[in-house]
Amino acid sequence: MSRIEEGLLYSESHEWVKVEDGTAVIGISDFAQHSMGNIVYVDMPEEDDEVSAGEEFGAVESVKAASDLISPVSGTVIGKNGDLDDEPGLLNKDPYANWIIRVRMSDPSETDSLMDAAAYRDFLDKQA
């Protein structure tokens, strides 16, 4: 069973969001990293790039496959996790401690369409 962190919001494409004062910290869920296997590369946008909810903002590549990263919110990238450039496998070690990007949200109400931990757990159960 995949680990689901309480207090985060989740998208159907298996990204998580932690909201901190109008900023969204975005990563991938334990289910996502587990499904992919050993992650070998993370493609991330640069600071000041714009991302849009529901649109691709990068990709994660594993030994099995490549998977697009879909932004759960819209806004401007204000940070990316440079540690993943050198060690993409950090996402396998702890996908919740190792975020991918930080976004200054242009429309914080977009988080209303995301799932809380309980809803995400139900969503995964229905996928099984």
Side-chain angles (χ1 to χ4, degrees):
M1 179 95 184
S2 296
R3 187 166 58 99
I4 298 171
E5 289 278 309
E6 296 293 332
L8 301 177
L9 298 171
Y10 297 87
S11 68
E12 289 188 359
S13 52
H14 307 291
E15 286 82 16
W16 58 259
V17 177
K18 181 178 184 182
V19 178
E20 300 172 335
D21 299 326
T23 298
V25 181
I26 301 170
I28 61 170
S29 71
D30 189 47
F31 175 85
Q33 73 81 17
H34 206 273
S35 301
M36 294 199 64
N38 291 336
I39 294 171
V40 295
Y41 178 71
V42 183
D43 179 34
M44 297 173 277
E46 296 300 322
E47 284 191 33
D48 297 326
D49 284 358
E50 297 291 321
V51 295
S52 299
E55 301 287 318
E56 177 189 334
F57 72 84
V60 175
E61 293 179 20
S62 72
V63 291
K64 289 191 215 172
S67 183
D68 290 340
L69 293 166
I70 307 300
S71 187
V73 297
S74 302
T76 305
V77 177
I78 57 172
K80 68 178 195 170
N81 187 345
D83 292 345
L84 298 177
D85 288 333
D86 299 325
E87 210 176 333
L90 289 170
L91 291 177
N92 293 121
K93 287 184 181 137
D94 190 341
Y96 299 113
N98 294 288
W99 54 279
I100 298 173
I101 60 171
R102 297 174 97 84
V103 174
R104 185 179 311 106
M105 293 185 286
S106 56
D107 182 1
S109 72
E110 288 175 336
T111 60
D112 295 348
S113 65
L114 300 173
M115 295 174 275
D116 65 12
Y120 185 61
R121 191 170 291 113
D122 290 343
F123 174 74
L124 291 181
D125 288 345
K126 290 178 182 139
Q127 307 291 305

